[in-house]
Amino acid sequence: MNDAVCYEVKSIEDYIAMIEELPNGQEGYYYRGENRRYATQSSSLLRSGIARLLRDNPEYYVDAVNDYVRDMADQAGEWEREHVLAWCHHEGLPTNLLELTASPLRALYFACLSRTDHSEEPSQAGYVYGFARENTADVTELILENVEMKTSRYNLIEDMGDDPRWINLLSDHDKKGFHKPDLAQMPYLIYQAPYKYRGSDEPNGLYFYQLFQTVPSSCSPEFSFEIMQQQYTPALIVKVLNQTEIREQLHHRLGLYK
């Protein structure tokens, strides 16, 4: 991936002007807003607290999803049965989905959200990350087929096997019979699920489907398994100052998230 292009903005006007001048244009990115700087972007399943459960038991994810689906079966409609992972994600179950948006203004809003610890010191800032669309592949169809399988692991690396559509995503090296690919060479996988639980002017909920593998641990006596996970490198990083002021402007001028 290319080195990130970095900007700093102090107002909506700064931000819009920056977006209009992006090297690949506004449509060249998917966006994610964070109200603080994070060294890496990870789905809830692969963050440290839940990841410990996977290191103890690689069956944790499939068991958690299957248990939830079974327990909530009487509340599942057509949307829930088709979009199992999106359903679980919206209900707060840890998944390997990471939310994105096609709207740079929505990402800006999330970069300006109040922190849960109510700390918004002048030196602090929010961040908008942009991920180049040219580095992504839409695998919505594969995911929807995968979660319908009775033996689904909810992990495309383990489920897709010799499916030619999956093999086409692999690097030339990995296509030579390696069923567990080099995650650093994989495109960022996009999953689109129609919104159900919240209103939006976007037609779909956008997610990264974060790839991961559990392998026997060779160096950590604390855990039985290690986790190899796909890392996300943004092509765009925008440092956002004056978060409170910008958030209020977004409410007032754009009517977002009232």
Side-chain angles (χ1 to χ4, degrees):
M1 308 295 176
N2 296 328
D3 292 337
V5 178
C6 298
Y7 296 89
E8 181 175 298
V9 299
K10 299 180 179 179
S11 67
I12 292 179
E13 290 76 16
D14 287 348
Y15 184 75
I16 292 175
M18 178 274 299
I19 291 294
E20 292 176 346
E21 296 178 359
L22 286 176
N24 296 324
Q26 174 181 331
E27 303 300 322
Y29 303 88
Y30 291 115
Y31 303 90
R32 180 172 173 83
E34 299 277 12
N35 61 7
R36 66 182 68 201
R37 182 68 185 267
Y38 290 100
T40 60
Q41 297 285 306
S42 291
S43 56
S44 56
L45 178 70
L46 300 176
R47 293 169 192 161
S48 58
I50 301 299
R52 293 179 64 90
L53 300 177
L54 272 177
R55 292 189 184 101
D56 284 334
N57 174 20
E59 304 296 317
Y60 165 78
Y61 188 31
V62 64
D63 288 346
V65 173
N66 286 341
D67 288 348
Y68 182 81
V69 171
R70 183 186 62 249
D71 293 344
M72 304 297 290
D74 60 341
Q75 299 185 30
E78 180 178 353
W79 187 92
E80 287 79 9
R81 289 190 294 270
E82 182 175 9
H83 297 279
V84 170
L85 290 184
W87 177 31
C88 290
H89 182 83
H90 278 291
E91 294 300 319
L93 198 73
T95 72
N96 63 325
L97 303 183
L98 185 68
E99 292 190 47
L100 300 170
T101 178
S103 167
L105 283 178
R106 287 186 179 277
L108 178 63
Y109 175 81
F110 284 105
C112 294
L113 281 180
S114 299
R115 300 184 180 180
T116 55
D117 60 4
H118 305 293
S119 61
E120 290 193 22
E121 299 175 4
S123 61
Q124 296 175 328
Y127 290 83
V128 172
Y129 299 94
F131 301 91
R133 293 197 188 197
E134 64 184 8
N135 296 328
T136 68
D138 191 323
V139 295
T140 301
E141 182 179 348
L142 296 185
I143 291 171
L144 297 186
E145 291 181 11
N146 175 57
V147 299
E148 292 178 352
M149 298 166 60
K150 293 182 179 179
T151 58
S152 174
R153 310 281 305 168
Y154 308 107
N155 188 340
L156 294 182
I157 290 177
E158 298 181 357
D159 285 338
M160 297 311 300
D162 295 325
D163 189 302
R165 296 167 300 173
W166 171 251
I167 294 173
N168 286 338
L169 297 173
L170 306 180
S171 68
D172 291 338
H173 174 75
D174 290 326
K175 287 178 182 177
K176 299 175 182 178
F178 294 90
H179 293 290
K180 292 197 173 182
D182 178 357
L183 299 185
Q185 301 301 316
M186 290 291 291
Y188 301 158
L189 305 186
I190 296 295
Y191 170 36
Q192 302 188 55
Y195 272 122
K196 177 179 174 66
Y197 291 108
R198 62 185 181 209
S200 174
D201 55 7
E202 292 184 285
N204 295 313
L206 286 170
Y207 307 92
F208 275 147
Y209 178 95
Q210 190 170 18
L211 293 170
F212 69 96
Q213 306 168 26
T214 53
V215 296
S217 177
S218 59
C219 59
S220 176
E222 183 181 359
F223 299 108
S224 301
F225 295 87
E226 297 177 37
I227 300 174
M228 309 296 292
Q229 67 185 65
Q230 188 176 35
Q231 303 291 336
Y232 295 119
T233 303
L236 169 71
I237 301 175
V238 184
K239 184 177 181 179
V240 182
L241 305 178
N242 299 331
Q243 294 164 284
T244 301
E245 179 180 340
I246 291 175
R247 184 172 65 245
E248 291 174 353
Q249 290 177 354
L250 285 170
H251 279 299
H252 178 68
R253 295 173 53 180
L254 304 177
L256 288 177
Y257 297 91
K258 288 184 177 179

